[in-house]
Amino acid sequence: MIATERLIAGAAQVLSDAGVASPRVDAELLLAHVLGVDPGEVRRRAILGTPVPDDARSPFDALVSRRAAREPLQHLTGVAHFRHLELAVGPGVFVPRPETEQVAQEAIDEACRLVREPAPGVGDPPGSRPPVVVDLCTGSGAVALSVATEVPGSRVHAVELDARAHEWAARNIAGCAAGLVRLVRGDARTALRELDGAVDVVVSNPPYVPSDAVPRDPEVAAHDPAVALYGLGADGLEVPRGIVAAAARLLRPGGLFVMEHAEVQAAEARAMVDRTGAFAPAVTREDLTGRPRMVVARRTTRDESTPGS
């Protein structure tokens, strides 16, 4: 048998040579997955010099080889961590990123505010009108599930068009928050007509990468589904423009819109929201790394016109 520390160090070197950004952490997580223990236990065994069982070597080495070939860590373990959630992921669904956690936070903060302070004019006491939240292009369901589990009583609707991603979302909803999220398979730009003008928060992490801007990381370029990456149009914003129009349709007056975008798209994201005439002036918010990664705007009074792009 080989000591845990020696096995991890060797694997980390292999991953480092392959260009993996976090070789030691990935090696620990892969070994934890193989052994069926948490990463803290793996680190404890490494410090104590505990040997690794012989029957764990082969599956661990196989996973390290796949990771060195730049297969996403989350595909190898079958798990992605997002806020407090542990989500099932794999081929066919976009792996949720830590930077999107702040997008979810904006939606959660607004829903929490509504629980404490219902919208003016409703005439109900605090907490008597559950906030209605819609997550467009839900993918794995990460944002929708974060809202549903962190804002008790909220009514969350999630929309996903792609069949494989929809299956992953359904699996996560069943495992994390059965009955707390209504999942709809449909086009995010036209879905949920029955909620027009009645939604408190619309949040979205739509595809927004331009078609000629192939991601540098092999984990993204070769493994994240193209339908979740590329937003269509020369600027990658054709789908986001549809999401903006859908938000204007769905939101009640005073409702909040939050949408992720690439940092280079901040100015155009604000402009596309402002051009609808349906929102107060849009603002850009930063993600956890301080980069401008989301547009936020509040719905103004409703009218009979269809918002443009």
Side-chain angles (χ1 to χ4, degrees):
M1 289 191 288
I2 186 172
T4 299
E5 173 57 32
R6 182 179 173 189
L7 185 65
I8 291 173
Q13 186 60 59
V14 170
L15 297 179
S16 178
D17 291 344
V20 173
S22 52
R24 172 79 188 199
V25 171
D26 285 23
E28 291 174 349
L29 290 171
L30 290 175
L31 185 56
H33 175 67
V34 169
L35 296 176
V37 301
D38 63 61
E41 174 62 16
V42 167
R43 289 189 286 271
R44 187 186 74 84
R45 294 184 187 187
I47 293 171
L48 295 177
T50 305
V52 176
D54 287 336
D55 61 0
R57 285 289 307 277
S58 179
F60 176 69
D61 289 344
L63 288 178
V64 170
S65 295
R66 291 171 65 186
R67 183 69 186 104
R70 306 303 292 273
E71 191 169 341
L73 174 70
Q74 296 87 348
H75 285 194
L76 301 177
T77 63
V79 171
H81 295 277
F82 187 85
R83 295 179 68 87
H84 66 288
L85 299 169
E86 189 173 275
L87 301 169
V89 295
V93 70
F94 184 80
V95 175
R97 308 293 201 261
E99 50 265 36
T100 305
E101 293 187 8
Q102 193 59 29
V103 175
Q105 187 67 59
E106 293 284 337
I108 289 166
D109 287 347
E110 179 69 3
C112 286
R113 184 188 70 80
L114 292 169
V115 168
R116 296 191 305 267
E117 306 170 10
V122 172
D124 296 326
S128 61
R129 187 178 68 84
V132 179
V133 180
V134 168
D135 177 19
L136 299 176
C137 304
T138 195
S140 66
V143 174
L145 284 166
S146 294
V147 176
T149 55
E150 295 184 48
V151 189
S154 56
R155 294 178 180 173
V156 182
H157 305 259
V159 179
E160 178 56 54
L161 177 62
D162 183 71
R164 296 181 73 189
H166 183 274
E167 290 175 0
W168 285 107
R171 177 177 172 181
N172 284 318
I173 290 168
C176 297
L180 296 184
V181 176
R182 175 196 173 206
L183 177 63
V184 174
R185 186 176 175 204
D187 189 327
R189 295 168 293 184
T190 57
L192 303 178
R193 291 281 183 185
E194 71 278 11
L195 294 179
D196 283 3
V199 176
D200 296 296
V201 183
V202 171
V203 59
S204 182
N205 179 17
Y208 51 73
V209 177
S211 58
D212 60 351
V214 179
R216 291 190 297 269
D217 292 339
E219 291 90 342
V220 179
H223 296 281
D224 274 329
V227 68
L229 290 175
Y230 300 105
L232 306 179
D235 56 3
L237 292 173
E238 182 176 330
V239 173
R241 288 186 185 97
I243 297 299
V244 171
R249 169 176 59 83
L250 288 163
L251 286 167
R252 62 167 179 80
L256 191 71
F257 175 50
V258 185
M259 183 178 70
E260 182 171 320
H261 54 69
E263 55 187 303
V264 297
Q265 295 170 329
E268 179 53 33
R270 292 194 305 274
M272 77 167 76
V273 172
D274 291 343
R275 280 196 295 268
T276 67
F279 296 89
V283 297
T284 298
R285 298 277 169 78
E286 297 177 342
D287 65 13
L288 294 174
T289 67
R291 297 179 298 168
R293 291 297 306 279
M294 74 192 86
V295 62
V296 178
R298 199 167 290 279
R299 184 69 163 97
T300 54
T301 56
R302 300 191 61 81
D303 56 41
E304 299 302 318
S305 63
T306 299
S309 61

